[in-house]
Amino acid sequence: MKLIEVKDYNEMSQKAAEYIIEKVRNYPRINLGLATGGTPVGTYKILIEDHQKNGTSYQEVTTFNLDEYIGLSGNNPNSYRYFMNEKLFNHLDINKNNTFIPSGVAKDIQAECLRYEQLITQHGGVDLQLLGIGQNGHIGFNEPGTSFQSNTHVVDLAPSTIKANARFFDNEEEVPTKAITMGIATIMKSKEILLLVSGESKNDAMHKLWNGEVTESFPASILKNHPYVTIIADQAAVAGLKMHS
Ligand code: GLP
C-alpha cells in the first residue's frame, strides 16, 4: 500500500480527482468503481469542474458502485443511485446506461447479487476502484466478520454504521438495516484501488489498517494483500501513525 499524506479534506479531494482524471484521459474506456458517503463528494465536485472547464469526457466510461440500501428505489433521495446521479452523473457527459449500481428493490435480491457480480465480470472487471472506509473498517458495506471470499451479497448493517449514516437521513429509524454490497473478493478483483481517508473520526481505522494484522474482523485490512493500493489520507486521519513498523 502506498500512502500519500495530504493536509486536509480539500487537498485529498484535489489529489484524488487528479488521479482519476489522469486515468480517464489516458484510458477513456476505463471501468471505474465508485463509492458513496461523505468522503468522495469533494472529489466528485472537482471531477465535474474539470469536465466543465477542461472537457474531460466520460462518454465511454463505465461505472460500478459498491453498494445500495435494500428497500430504497433510485427515486428515493437517500438511495445511493440518487446520490450518484446528483453528486456526479447528472453533471458529466456519461451515458447513464453505463452507470451500474445494485438494485435495492429487485424482487429477487439473491438473483440481483449474482447478476451484479456477473455484470462486472462481463465488462472485464473494475480497473480503478475508489474506496472510503468505515470507522469499524468496513469497505463498501462489508462489515467486520465478512468473509474475505465474499462476492456481491446482502448484509445486515452494523448498529455503528446505521448510526454513522443517520446523518444523511431525517432520523436514525429511517436508515435501512440491510444493504447489497460488492463483496471483499469482488473489491479485491479490481486491478487498482484508491482509498480515501479523511478526518479524526477515521484516525483509529487508519491506525488499524496501517499497523494491524490482516483479519476478517477489520475488513479493510485485506487491502494489504492487494498489489496496487494507493491511500490518500489527510493529517487528521494519519496523526500519530507509525509509518514503519
Ligand atoms: C458508508 C459506505 C461506504 C463508505 C463508508 C464511509 O456506509 N457504504 O462505501 O466508504 O460508509 O462513509 P463516509 O465517507 O461518509 O465516512
Side-chain angles (χ1 to χ4, degrees):
M1 298 191 299
K2 180 181 163 195
L3 175 61
I4 300 174
E5 193 186 328
V6 293
K7 194 163 98 230
D8 55 15
Y9 181 86
N10 288 342
E11 201 182 325
M12 177 194 76
S13 304
Q14 188 63 44
K15 278 254 164 0
E18 283 166 10
Y19 199 98
I20 295 167
I21 291 162
E22 199 195 328
K23 298 274 174 188
V24 170
R25 284 185 167 262
N26 287 338
Y27 184 30
R29 296 177 61 85
I30 193 168
N31 291 339
L32 285 180
L34 297 176
T36 51
T39 307
V41 172
T43 304
Y44 294 157
K45 263 198 196 133
I46 299 167
L47 293 184
I48 294 166
E49 281 166 20
D50 164 75
H51 166 68
Q52 290 168 347
K53 269 196 229 139
N54 308 318
T56 304
S57 175
Y58 294 77
Q59 265 169 13
E60 294 181 274
V61 171
T62 299
T63 66
F64 294 94
N65 263 78
L66 285 165
D67 45 18
E68 179 60 284
Y69 288 115
I70 289 182
L72 302 190
S73 78
N75 299 325
N76 187 314
N78 284 315
S79 71
Y80 283 165
R81 161 54 74 183
Y82 193 96
F83 176 103
M84 289 308 300
N85 286 347
E86 287 284 303
K87 306 280 185 215
L88 187 65
F89 301 147
N90 287 348
H91 314 283
L92 300 177
D93 61 346
I94 197 162
N95 179 348
K96 283 257 183 72
N97 294 328
N98 295 335
T99 65
F100 299 106
I101 302 182
S103 167
V105 291
K107 277 216 178 71
D108 183 341
I109 285 286
Q110 293 307 333
E112 174 62 8
C113 293
L114 200 62
R115 183 193 73 86
Y116 198 69
E117 190 73 26
Q118 286 170 348
L119 200 66
I120 298 172
T121 311
Q122 281 159 10
H123 281 81
V126 169
D127 297 305
L128 173 65
Q129 176 68 55
L130 185 64
L131 281 186
I133 185 170
Q135 289 171 27
N136 61 3
H138 73 233
I139 47 175
F141 266 136
N142 293 286
E143 299 285 18
T146 305
S147 164
F148 283 158
Q149 262 75 53
S150 54
N151 290 322
T152 302
H153 64 294
V154 173
V155 290
D156 290 315
L157 299 179
S160 62
T161 301
I162 292 175
K163 234 185 193 36
N165 287 2
R167 69 190 194 278
F168 297 111
F169 292 77
D170 287 340
N171 57 63
E172 205 176 309
E173 283 67 51
E174 278 183 34
V175 185
T177 55
K178 285 178 186 291
I180 182 165
T181 182
M182 279 189 200
I184 302 273
T186 324
I187 293 171
M188 287 295 281
K189 270 184 246 164
S190 46
K191 295 176 190 79
E192 180 179 357
I193 291 174
L194 180 62
L195 171 67
L196 305 185
V197 194
S198 169
E200 205 189 324
S201 68
K202 301 292 172 67
N203 184 259
D204 191 43
M206 190 65 216
H207 275 255
K208 287 189 180 128
L209 173 62
W210 200 252
N211 297 122
E213 53 171 7
V214 176
T215 163
E216 287 180 350
S217 62
F218 192 77
S221 63
I222 190 69
L223 298 177
K224 290 184 175 204
N225 292 350
H226 192 285
Y228 196 0
V229 176
T230 303
I231 305 172
I232 305 179
D234 67 13
Q235 278 170 9
V238 301
L241 206 66
K242 279 188 256 119
M243 302 299 274
H244 306 285
S245 77

